[in-house]
Amino acid sequence: MSKQIAIVGLGLIGGSIAMALQGFEDYEIVGVDVSQPTLRFAAEHHVADRVTDDAAGAIAQAEVVFLCLHPQGIVDFLQRHRDGFKPGALVTDVCGVKTAIVRAARVLPPEVDFIGGHPMAGTEFSGVQNALKDMFRGAHYIMVPDESSDPDKVALLERMAVYMGCRDVVRTTPEQHDAIIAYTSQMMHVIAVSVCDDPKLFEFMGFEGDSFRGCTRVAALDVPLWTQLFSLNAPQLDQALERLEQNINAYRQVLRSGDRKALAEKLEWSASRKRQMNRHEQEVQA
């Protein structure tokens, strides 16, 4: 009998993971969801090797469990099923916050190894119908093992990330992960929705350039999901936004001064930092 990987939650990310992991070593991919339309779509489009709505039965048999639910859903699932995982199993997640999830996973018994994970990929869409087998190709996979994590389980998670097509696997702490995500992802979403709050949005509609469309691409977000992500990472996001406010205010002050030389110097300093970042990315990819 083959070993099993249970993917709990067949949304955009869960569906993509199920598709990307098919054929991995000798594992059967079992997709789990409470939505019958989702399960029908997943079965008809071969998103997983097998699908079921029996979460308890699936995790009791699985050597690996991916929790691909909204953040609060993961917290609730861990609490509700803490004694239902197969002894010796690896349990991981794909959530965009780590401190709160790792804390919630402390309810698990010692014979179950929880390693928080975050494949850094996605789109502005949701649902299994938008899942992509190549979703994670070239993406970073962040994991947050601790001193008690089984090295064999860490290695297994790394192999799965590589099989999914991830560019690399980065190990860090939950706190550092959340600081990274607050700056590189969550703050960008706040900027996007804030731009769309401007009363001129519809008055100027039809005159958007590529920069506007790029800036606001993620503004049509999944509200329940991002409410949870922002709330569970509020301290780190608040710090990132405070720094952003200071930077914007610095530009406002130089604009109000009318000093073009000072404005040019400030723009050059900012642009040079971005060019330096671009060069570094090119060197890494070379």
Side-chain angles (χ1 to χ4, degrees):
M1 185 176 183
S2 62
K3 295 180 287 187
Q4 296 179 13
I5 298 175
I7 314 293
V8 181
L10 291 176
L12 174 71
I13 300 301
S16 297
I17 288 176
M19 295 166 69
L21 282 177
Q22 288 182 40
F24 173 73
E25 297 183 2
D26 59 345
Y27 287 90
E28 178 188 28
I29 309 302
V30 181
V32 183
D33 207 280
V34 297
S35 166
Q36 291 304 314
T38 294
L39 292 174
R40 282 196 298 273
F41 183 96
E44 291 168 1
H45 292 81
H46 309 290
V47 171
D49 297 321
R50 178 165 59 87
V51 299
T52 179
D53 62 359
D54 181 10
I59 67 172
Q61 298 297 320
E63 282 75 17
V64 180
V65 178
F66 277 85
L67 300 178
C68 304
L69 307 168
H70 282 192
Q72 190 59 51
I74 293 175
V75 172
D76 295 342
F77 191 94
L78 288 167
Q79 180 66 40
R80 185 165 59 253
H81 294 282
R82 57 184 174 182
D83 297 319
F85 294 95
K86 184 175 184 177
L90 164 64
V91 180
T92 187
D93 75 307
V94 298
C95 184
V97 292
K98 292 272 75 80
T99 304
I101 300 301
V102 170
R103 185 184 304 120
R106 293 173 185 164
V107 301
L108 296 176
E111 60 269 20
V112 174
D113 205 341
F114 182 87
I115 302 175
H118 183 195
M120 294 193 65
T123 72
E124 64 269 37
F125 305 108
S126 61
V128 67
Q129 66 274 15
N130 293 304
L132 299 168
K133 181 177 182 178
D134 293 331
M135 175 74 75
F136 310 104
R137 190 153 306 280
H140 298 296
Y141 197 105
I142 301 180
M143 68 163 65
V144 291
D146 60 29
E147 62 280 356
S148 67
S149 297
D150 181 344
D152 291 338
K153 299 293 196 310
V154 173
L156 173 59
L157 187 53
E158 289 181 335
R159 293 201 307 277
M160 288 189 287
V162 171
Y163 188 85
M164 288 161 53
C166 293
R167 180 200 313 176
D168 54 22
V169 178
V170 180
R171 301 189 195 185
T172 188
T173 65
E175 296 78 15
Q176 179 64 9
H177 168 276
D178 290 352
I180 292 169
I181 296 305
Y183 176 70
T184 62
S185 175
Q186 294 179 348
M187 185 173 70
M188 300 304 110
H189 284 74
V190 172
I191 291 171
V193 294
S194 297
V195 169
C196 291
D197 286 345
D198 194 292
K200 299 295 184 181
L201 177 67
F202 294 105
E203 182 180 340
F204 295 159
M205 187 171 61
F207 297 92
E208 308 93 334
D210 288 344
S211 58
F212 184 93
R213 286 189 287 269
C215 174
T216 58
R217 179 184 62 82
V218 297
L221 45 69
D222 180 334
V223 173
L225 170 61
W226 285 92
T227 298
Q228 293 180 32
L229 290 170
F230 288 169
S231 298
L232 290 173
N233 202 28
Q236 295 283 10
L237 180 55
D238 180 63
Q239 291 179 27
L241 291 174
E242 183 175 4
R243 296 193 303 270
L244 175 64
E245 287 177 351
Q246 292 169 355
N247 292 332
I248 290 174
N249 282 330
Y251 268 100
R252 292 183 68 189
Q253 290 168 13
V254 74
L255 284 168
R256 288 172 175 174
S257 73
D259 187 338
R260 288 194 177 188
K261 182 175 182 296
L263 175 58
E265 289 174 350
K266 182 158 182 57
L267 286 169
E268 177 55 37
W269 188 78
S270 300
S272 68
R273 287 166 62 83
K274 176 56 178 173
R275 286 191 290 265
Q276 180 182 354
M277 186 177 181
N278 291 345
R279 287 194 298 271
H280 177 71
E281 289 177 346
Q282 291 169 359
E283 291 169 359
V284 169
Q285 294 172 4

